[in-house]
Amino acid sequence: MSFRKLAALALVVGAFSAVDNAAAEQVIRIGAIYPLSGALASSGAESKAALELAQSIINDPHPELTGVPLAEGKGLPNLGGAKIQFVFADSQGKPEIGLAEAQRLLEQEKVIALMGAYQSAVTKTASRIAEQHGIPYVNAESSSPDLTERGYKYFFRTTPTDETFIENMMQFLDGVKEVPTKKIAVVYENTDFGVNSYRAVKKFADKYHRDIVANIAYAAGTPSVTSEVQKLAAAKPDVAIFASYVSDATLFVRTMRETGYAPPVFLANDSGFVDSHFVAEMGPMVQGLLTRDAWGTDVAQGNSILSKVDQLYLAKTGKHLNDSAARGLQGALVLADAINRAGKTDPESLRAALVATDLSAKQIIMPWPGVKFDAKGQNEKGTGLIRVFQGTEYRTVWPAQYRGADVKLNFPFTWK
């Protein structure tokens, strides 16, 4: 055979090889916006690790996760085994930067969908850009109810909202007999998360016949909360409900402890109070602190799939899953499942697949009945827990079926 023919044959073989490799290495890119620097960087890092674990579960075989869509195989079978890749962007915890990063991910990185952004205020701006572009946005952690009240077509939320979580609080308080629970104070940061938390407390306090005796809003990221603590102490509530991200949560604990004030029932609306940084630093001081939650290692221990996913996260990060990380992981798995069922990556096919999502309890990694979106894009099957800080971790106390025999509630709350 002549040199020219050999060269031509080599080009043909090379071309086929390149096509085969391209098909084998097809990557589906998804944008993910989180606070990876600034005051909330520890929370953002946990969410990032959760999405990276979801990426591994989808791209690599995990036969131990029987029943979880895509976990047992390799890649997205309906797209020829394509892999997913999360492209991360740093919101710095700021809505305007979240908006700019959403625009960059869509227009420059050419992602097919967006996830994030932990904070409700950042999710609000970032998802607006996605809606304008007609690109699906799956939110897994932001709980402000109004996010699914905007009439958006491409916004889907897997997590329960603060209305679900706050009503869970009221139901739990109905069962507390050791101390009064009628008078409530609400302390909240003045962005979407905090403001909507207060609105939910007001709504369900009325429904459950409780009185709000203090409404204390503060500037998120404030350097001092002394005046807020003084107002709280002066109101003499039975229950103090806090809606704060991690830096503010830490500051409130330090300030209350230094001034000697402790609310009889200290109840957090999750967020900063379950951040691993807060748990490690403040845990010894806040024995008996209560929080709403959606995940628990003790709950996971009673469920094979939940426990195995928790162990995977522990092996990756050295930490157990917490509420926000677990919800982020679940949201990523829901989005990947929808992409696979769509069999395409165009926005309308993906949106249709998200609308058709109907996962059972055995197909998810959360202690929920499942995932199914209502007409507004809200998962109608999400539920919450109430947990108490005991020892070195939170333990589940409500609903009763998840409460361990050694879990104790000590009222009134006191500093340790």
Side-chain angles (χ1 to χ4, degrees), residues 108-267:
Q108 298 180 28
E109 299 291 345
K110 305 299 181 182
V111 298
I112 66 158
L114 288 176
M115 282 198 68
Y118 183 70
Q119 300 152 278
S120 292
V122 181
T123 296
K124 188 174 185 178
T125 58
S127 60
R128 185 170 75 236
I129 295 300
E131 190 73 13
Q132 291 170 358
H133 282 71
I135 297 294
Y137 192 113
V138 173
N139 172 245
E141 311 94 355
S142 303
S143 54
S144 294
D146 64 353
L147 290 172
T148 43
E149 298 297 324
R150 298 174 293 173
Y152 281 10
K153 179 180 177 183
Y154 295 93
F155 185 81
F156 297 85
R157 175 163 51 185
T158 52
T159 181
T161 74
D162 283 319
E163 293 208 342
T164 295
F165 290 132
I166 298 298
E167 183 164 22
N168 290 162
M169 290 183 184
M170 299 300 165
Q171 292 164 341
F172 164 75
L173 291 172
D174 278 351
V176 173
K177 306 303 180 187
E178 296 88 345
V179 291
T181 63
K182 183 174 177 57
K183 297 187 295 181
I184 294 178
V186 191
V187 184
Y188 58 98
E189 52 96 50
N190 63 352
T191 72
D192 286 55
F193 165 56
V195 171
N196 284 290
S197 292
Y198 168 72
R199 290 174 180 166
V201 173
K202 187 175 186 305
K203 174 180 177 178
F204 289 103
D206 292 342
K207 179 178 177 180
Y208 286 83
H209 309 294
R210 290 185 168 85
D211 301 323
I212 294 180
V213 297
N215 166 14
I216 304 171
Y218 68 90
T222 182
S224 172
V225 294
T226 300
S227 64
E228 287 80 5
V229 169
Q230 290 172 343
K231 292 176 185 177
L232 179 61
K236 297 181 179 179
D238 300 323
V239 181
I241 296 176
F242 284 77
S244 305
Y245 291 117
V246 63
S247 58
D248 299 336
T250 303
L251 184 58
F252 267 108
V253 166
R254 286 176 173 162
T255 304
M256 286 191 291
R257 191 167 181 268
E258 289 168 2
T259 59
Y261 171 72
V265 179
F266 188 168
L267 181 53

